[in-house]
Amino acid sequence: MINIRPVSDLRNKYPEIEKTVLKENEEVYLTKNGYGTMVIMSIQKYEKLMTEAEYNQYIENALDEAEEEAENPNTKYYTAEEVFGEVRRMIDGQE
């Protein structure tokens, strides 16, 4: 369930907010004058969120790079036979 509280609760009911964030591992959304202003979450949850965002950005960049290379007319494509043949030569020590 989404936990929405007025920003004044941060001062007046800090222990409750801390329990929700740390022990229940939930975010707390703070409002001021009826409008959302902040989100409070544990450091662990924040780190996980940032790690996922960084990973997603890495994947997106890799896909963009692959797409650009695929559109390049000078890109050399290899057949499965060529790739597996080269791998077999490497395994057999015939580099």
Side-chain angles (χ1 to χ4, degrees):
M1 184 169 102
I2 296 178
N3 195 328
I4 302 172
R5 303 181 74 143
V7 74
S8 60
D9 278 4
L10 191 54
R11 178 184 60 239
N12 300 328
K13 299 179 181 179
Y14 181 84
E16 289 178 28
I17 292 175
E18 182 180 38
K19 178 181 178 251
T20 301
V21 169
L22 297 179
K23 296 204 172 39
E24 298 173 15
N25 200 28
E26 294 291 326
E27 304 89 10
V28 174
Y29 297 84
L30 299 177
T31 63
K32 184 174 182 180
N33 298 325
Y35 294 96
T37 58
M38 291 181 246
V39 177
I40 299 175
M41 66 180 71
S42 69
I43 290 174
Q44 291 80 12
K45 195 162 202 165
Y46 177 76
E47 286 175 347
K48 183 179 180 213
L49 183 67
M50 289 294 98
T51 300
E52 289 172 359
E54 290 166 0
Y55 178 74
N56 289 342
Q57 185 62 48
Y58 170 79
I59 295 297
E60 187 174 326
N61 289 343
L63 290 172
D64 288 344
E65 187 178 317
E67 188 174 291
E68 286 177 19
E69 190 165 335
E71 292 174 354
N72 182 344
N74 297 322
T75 298
K76 167 94 169 89
Y77 293 96
Y78 297 93
T79 66
E81 291 81 18
E82 290 173 315
V83 171
F84 289 118
E86 182 64 24
V87 170
R88 284 188 185 99
R89 280 190 290 284
M90 292 173 69
I91 291 172
D92 293 339
Q94 300 174 359
E95 298 178 51

